[in-house]
Amino acid sequence: MGQIRQMLDRQQGRVSFHMPGHKGGYPFGGAFDVTELPGTDDLHEPAGPYLHLQQKAAHLCGAACSFLLVGGSTLGVEAMLLSVLKPGEAVILPRNAHVSAWSACVLGGFRPLSVYPRYEADGPEGYAEEDFMRALEEHPEARALLVTRPDMYGRCLPLDRIARRCREKKVRLLVDEAHGAHLPFLKGMDGAPASAGALGADMWCQSLHKTLPALTQTALLHLRDEALFPRAKAALRLLETSSPSSLLLLSAESALEEMEARGAERLALLRARIDAFAEALDLRFARCIFPGMDPLRLTIDVRNAGLSGYEASARLAEKGVDMEMADEKRIVGIPSIENGEEDFRRLAEALESLPGGSAPKETERIQAYGEPCMDLREAFFSEKKWVPLKGAAGQICGAAFGLYPPGTPLAAPGERITKELAARMQRAMEQGCGAFGTNGKGEVSCVIPR
Ligand SMILES: Cc1ncc(COP(=O)(O)O)c(C=O)c1O
């Protein structure tokens, strides 16, 4: 039994005039949701079971030291940028980085230098190694480079050369590995990509809750070098709740213990399940395989249903099968070791129930991001108004908005909203995709010109 579990067991039967207000009576795990007490550990100053689990996480993931997070990779990405940059410094960002990277730029006053994705023949927008190598040459002023790896489709960019060049140029390499908490446990699996820690990243973060059996919000932040520890700790103090839930931390412990004990074996079984599922896939559909891909990501091209991915995903949801993400052509699932045969059977059945048809008109290759025209921070802190998305072309974005998932801002603060961007977002929302940054009435936040 893990140390956190033992610590929490020792707290049972006490009388609490302390937080939390549910006093252990909350029916869904409340007994394990205790706060900082004389007999428990404190995540911000860990000295007992939390420290032990952080050390275990560092050992398992190849880090010099690690932090347990209860604010997801959102917190991890923000903390990474705040750990290595000073106000006014520049960071090279994939333009489709998660919104947390843009939030960190607002918080810290960092200057984002966007690398725009490519649109290749039959893949979703993405990047090649050269894109970041070139950005490093073009921007000698950059102090950090963020890479999202794996991306939503499981694509893992080769990192070795990028990491070497970053070291030569004294640029910190940060990796958003939100979708790759399982990568350290794929070691030895044929064709499986390595985790960023083995490839020279300075800092990387992983959402435990995305691909491992852990509660939502649990994540890890890893450091290659202990020298970064004080800044990372200060950044977490700045951003993270002062009352982290021990229930969440218990679930992180249970997930890491399971992965340590049986991870490799259970991931191999999962891979076999996914491969068998893909082989038996209805002939109208195709599993998408990309170079350097995480073998445990499941992306399916659904165009032959005559539907966009958003529409197909909405129909699967009506059948009780929820996918993680969709785009104009595909649906994306995040299978985990907790998905059994029955889940794959229900997914196959739901897919079979989709209609047949000819592929909808292709529009995804239109470059649909805002155009930078104002300082990001100035835009965020300026007076703003809500503007209907339909009429927002030409306005300057005041607060990031986009589709959710994947949580990439189509417009970041300080970018001019284009007609294409507004149309892409509108279309996806009409087809059932979620959004962030709107006010629920289809309006987005725009800067009021002075
Ligand atoms: C690439 C990427 N980075 C970061 C995040 C944030 O992760 P979390 O949900 O753990 O806060 C997400 C979430 O969807 C993501 O897709």
Side-chain angles (χ1 to χ4, degrees):
M1 190 189 288
Q3 290 195 9
I4 298 180
R5 177 62 198 268
Q6 291 173 40
M7 170 185 87
L8 296 173
D9 278 348
R10 285 195 296 274
Q11 295 305 308
Q12 305 305 307
R14 299 175 68 84
V15 175
S16 169
F17 284 96
H18 210 298
M19 302 187 298
H22 62 64
K23 310 295 176 191
Y26 180 66
F28 309 107
F32 293 121
D33 184 39
V34 299
T35 185
E36 294 79 26
L37 294 167
T40 62
D41 205 357
D42 174 353
L43 187 63
H44 286 284
E45 302 299 333
Y50 297 158
L51 179 64
H52 176 78
L53 186 59
Q54 292 193 153
Q55 289 166 342
K56 179 190 284 239
H59 171 70
L60 291 172
C61 300
C65 53
S66 303
F67 294 91
L68 286 161
L69 310 179
V70 294
S73 286
T74 301
L75 171 61
V77 169
E78 290 170 357
M80 289 196 294
L81 270 73
L82 283 156
S83 299
V84 301
L85 292 169
K86 296 196 181 86
E89 288 186 340
V91 52
I92 298 171
L93 288 184
R95 178 57 189 80
N96 64 8
H98 185 257
V99 63
S100 49
W102 303 90
S103 307
C105 291
V106 171
L107 285 167
F110 312 138
R111 282 189 301 121
L113 301 168
S114 293
V115 182
Y116 287 86
R118 349 174 129 210
Y119 297 83
E120 292 192 331
D122 217 25
E125 61 174 48
Y127 293 93
E129 189 186 32
E130 305 87 83
D131 301 333
F132 292 101
M133 297 296 278
R134 194 176 326 111
L136 282 165
E137 295 312 315
E138 285 172 0
H139 298 294
E141 74 276 27
R143 299 277 38 97
L145 162 62
L146 178 80
V147 175
T148 307
R149 178 190 185 277
D151 68 6
M152 286 299 297
Y153 301 90
R155 291 174 297 183
C156 293
L157 214 58
L159 266 195
D160 294 307
R161 282 180 58 222
I162 296 174
R164 264 201 310 279
R165 187 60 57 83
C166 280
R167 265 199 300 283
E168 283 160 18
K169 292 184 167 289
K170 300 202 176 354
V171 171
R172 292 292 191 181
L173 176 59
L174 314 176
V175 179
D176 175 351
E177 203 171 86
H179 290 270
H182 59 299
L183 295 185
F185 306 97
L186 292 182
K187 240 183 255 157
M189 184 186 280
D190 186 29
S195 166
L199 302 171
D202 290 299
M203 298 179 86
W204 65 109
C205 64
Q206 303 166 321
S207 300
L208 292 173
H209 69 96
K210 289 193 195 300
T211 57
L212 300 184
L215 288 177
T216 303
Q217 292 182 23
T218 53
L220 294 171
L221 171 62
H222 302 288
L223 276 52
R224 187 166 65 94
D225 179 350
E226 291 208 5
L228 289 168
F229 182 85
R231 290 268 317 256
K233 185 171 158 74
L236 291 174
R237 187 44 105 176
L238 189 76
L239 299 165
E240 194 170 33
T241 173
S242 56
S243 308
S245 162
S246 56
L247 183 59
L248 297 183
L249 297 165
L250 175 63
S251 102
E253 177 181 74
S254 120
L256 287 173
E257 290 205 326
E258 177 63 12
M259 295 315 288
E260 186 181 25
R262 281 171 290 277
E265 177 195 330
R266 293 191 67 187
L267 289 167
L269 178 64
L270 174 63
R271 182 176 186 169
R273 266 195 191 129
I274 296 171
D275 290 349
F277 166 84
E279 222 156 89
L281 195 60
D282 187 302
L283 287 178
R284 284 171 298 156
F285 307 120
R287 180 179 185 195
C288 308
I289 303 280
F290 305 109
M293 188 180 159
D294 169 9
L296 303 183
R297 191 51 58 116
L298 185 57
T299 300
I300 302 169
D301 186 327
V302 292
R303 276 174 295 173
N304 285 337
L307 301 171
S308 71
Y310 305 117
E311 291 165 324
S313 183
R315 300 230 187 161
L316 296 189
E318 283 167 17
K319 300 265 170 201
V321 177
D322 296 318
M323 301 306 286
E324 173 65 23
M325 197 197 74
D327 65 20
E328 298 209 352
K329 299 177 181 172
R330 316 165 189 88
I331 54 172
V332 182
I334 306 184
S336 96
I337 56 174
E338 295 301 315
N339 283 116
E341 297 281 357
E342 175 63 8
D343 296 343
F344 285 98
R345 192 193 61 69
R346 284 187 60 187
L347 172 57
E349 201 176 277
L351 280 167
E352 276 157 27
S353 75
L354 294 179
S358 48
K361 196 164 135 261
E362 193 175 311
T363 49
E364 77 174 1
R365 283 202 234 164
I366 297 165
Q367 177 73 268
Y369 292 106
E371 292 163 353
C373 65
M374 183 178 177
D375 177 72
L376 166 117
R377 204 157 195 256
E378 192 187 329
F380 183 85
F381 289 108
S382 59
E383 291 297 315
K384 287 176 279 213
K385 58 183 175 183
W386 292 107
V387 176
L389 184 56
K390 268 193 184 135
Q395 302 273 344
I396 300 175
C397 169
F401 65 83
L403 299 172
Y404 197 89
T408 294
L410 291 178
E415 287 184 343
R416 194 171 297 286
I417 299 166
T418 64
K419 219 164 64 207
E420 293 75 21
L421 172 176
R424 175 179 173 186
M425 173 127 168
Q426 187 86 31
R427 197 172 44 248
M429 285 166 67
E430 282 163 9
Q431 293 184 0
C433 185
F436 71 93
T438 67
N439 65 353
K441 292 188 245 164
E443 295 173 336
V444 293
S445 170
C446 298
V447 170
I448 300 177
R450 273 191 288 175

